[in-house]
Amino acid sequence: MLKVGAVLNSKRLSLAAGVTTVCLLTLSGVSCAANAPSVASSSTVHSNTVVNPKVAGLSKDQVLQQLIAPPQVRGFVWGVLGESSKVVAITLPGDQRASLFTDYPLRVLNFVGPGQAPYLVGSTITVRVPGGTTSSERVTFEDAPQVAAGDTVFVLDRDQGQLGGGNTATVLVASRGSDVFELRNGYVVGQGDFSGLSEPLAVFLAHFPH
């Protein structure tokens, strides 16, 4: 069942120095607690997702048409990811430790959706996704978007709360796989909840008023 519109509620298992730290990532921040020792590894487990009853039983194509309906969603920023990326550690008020995110430069090509374009066409902004690798830690999130330099992507501009510091005038947070679609050889391909969806660009754009 699709989980579009779900509240992100994740448990991150980040193991360092033989100690397992369990972190809960929610819209309001990250909380962590140390558990029993374990082998070095990193993983993520999602739980307590909330399914929007309005999309239950609909096809992925039908859900896509409703994706930008909520008032907290403005549309898609269409752009190309740049070569350089960097890992940032963000600690929100009340968090016990920093959470790792990876920043990618995005050159804005266009905006698709009913809302006002949040970024100027031709400008370069930052797309921020959960997870990252430093010299001492590797953190992954099960449902984080899979992106790479050179990808042409559509990034959903929606209210992310405080996740990753939240969206700003220069930063667009993509916390779930369903927040990012990739354009490959003229087809728009989904991931996360939209894994398996592949549509010609013109068909994808026709879903949304623009």
Side-chain angles (χ1 to χ4, degrees):
M1 183 175 293
L2 298 180
K3 297 175 284 186
V4 176
V7 174
L8 181 63
N9 192 347
S10 309
K11 289 183 179 179
R12 185 184 69 193
L13 305 182
S14 175
L15 297 93
V19 177
T20 304
T21 303
V22 180
C23 298
L24 182 66
L25 175 61
T26 67
L27 291 176
S28 59
V30 180
S31 59
C32 304
N35 284 347
S38 183
V39 296
S41 178
S42 294
S43 62
T44 303
V45 178
H46 286 264
S47 62
N48 300 326
T49 51
V50 180
V51 179
N52 185 344
K54 293 183 179 180
V55 303
L58 299 182
S59 69
K60 293 182 179 181
D61 185 75
Q62 291 171 321
V63 173
L64 186 58
Q65 296 183 51
Q66 301 186 26
L67 186 59
I68 59 174
Q72 68 271 24
V73 174
R74 289 192 286 189
F76 285 96
V77 178
W78 181 0
V80 179
L81 293 171
E83 291 294 332
S84 59
S85 64
K86 66 177 182 179
V87 176
V88 295
I90 298 175
T91 304
L92 298 177
D95 286 353
Q96 298 178 11
R97 66 184 297 237
S99 187
L100 295 184
F101 291 80
T102 300
D103 286 354
Y104 295 86
L106 179 79
R107 178 168 57 87
V108 178
L109 300 177
N110 211 331
F111 180 75
V112 180
Q116 183 177 0
Y119 308 105
L120 292 176
V121 172
S123 65
T124 297
I125 64 170
T126 295
V127 169
R128 179 168 292 162
V129 299
T133 302
T134 67
S135 59
S136 60
E137 184 179 22
R138 180 176 184 268
V139 176
T140 61
F141 290 80
E142 188 175 78
D143 194 33
Q146 301 299 309
V147 298
D151 287 351
T152 299
V153 293
F154 292 86
V155 183
L156 189 63
D157 178 22
R158 66 180 180 89
D159 184 4
Q160 297 277 356
Q162 297 185 65
L163 288 176
N167 294 336
T168 71
T170 59
V171 175
L172 180 59
V173 177
S175 61
R176 295 198 304 257
S178 55
D179 287 336
V180 178
F181 293 75
E182 183 184 354
L183 180 61
R184 301 178 191 166
N185 301 317
Y187 282 78
V188 177
V189 179
Q191 55 180 292
D193 292 328
F194 287 98
S195 179
L197 183 140
S198 178
E199 295 184 335
L201 176 60
V203 174
F204 178 82
L205 295 177
H207 288 296
F208 316 108
H210 56 280

